[in-house]
Amino acid sequence: DYDTFFTLTFPRPATAKTTQETSEKTSEKILKLLKINKNYTISELSKKVGVTTRSIERSLYNLQKSGKVKRLGPEGGHWEVL
């Protein structure tokens, strides 16, 4: 018998952020961190920002494309905020 079960419905909050808003906030955090320490690695940025390394890579790519950051030197190099 299923007459002892009941269903509860909870409304979802309407605060879902768009992907673009989240990406912009991630980029802002990355820029702030790189102004403090230009030698942060992708892994370190990932831990500090609280997102995946792939998300950091994507944000850094977009920041480079938009002319906001530049990578100086190969492996062992550093970031320059423009």
Side-chain angles (χ1 to χ4, degrees), residues 33-81:
L33 288 167
L34 291 177
K35 286 178 184 176
I36 296 168
N37 181 356
K38 62 184 179 181
N39 296 308
Y40 275 129
T41 65
I42 288 173
S43 179
E44 290 169 331
L45 288 170
S46 170
K47 290 175 187 166
K48 293 222 175 252
V49 176
V51 296
T52 64
T53 55
R54 180 65 189 118
S55 180
I56 296 293
E57 289 168 350
R58 190 173 27 256
S59 293
L60 285 170
Y61 172 80
N62 289 329
L63 286 168
Q64 285 177 302
K65 208 166 98 174
S66 66
K68 294 183 180 177
V69 296
K70 183 178 180 180
R71 180 72 179 170
L72 299 177
E75 197 170 312
H78 66 271
W79 295 99
E80 181 179 306
V81 177

